[in-house]
Amino acid sequence: MLNMFRKKQLVKKEYDRANQKPVLRCSICTGEQVAGFKNIHTGQWEEVMLIKNEEDLETFKRMYDLKEVAKEY
């Protein structure tokens, strides 16, 4: 029997650690949180995923092998 509801295999991804830092953008008004990377030289933002709960944040951290993610408001 085909298991349609099994968890997907998590694929480890890389980012430019020399020029980018992981950031969680948080809206003060709506509480929406978006995880991504910010270029430390230009400030350019690269969105990766919407964070709806703590599990989504943990998934983002595991995908990019992160310990901490800075918050920006």
Side-chain angles (χ1 to χ4, degrees), residues 16-29:
D16 186 358
R17 293 178 187 269
N19 296 311
Q20 294 179 317
K21 69 176 186 176
V23 174
L24 188 62
R25 279 195 167 174
C26 307
S27 170
I28 294 172
C29 299

Side-chain angles (χ1 to χ4, degrees), residues 7 24-26 31-35 49-62 69 71:
K7 287 194 173 192
L24 188 62
R25 279 195 167 174
C26 307
E32 180 181 83
Q33 297 181 350
V34 179
M49 65 185 288
L50 178 66
I51 304 297
K52 295 180 245 170
N53 53 39
E54 194 64 33
E55 186 179 316
D56 288 346
L57 181 57
E58 289 304 314
T59 300
F60 176 70
K61 287 180 179 180
R62 282 194 315 269
V69 180
K71 287 188 176 185

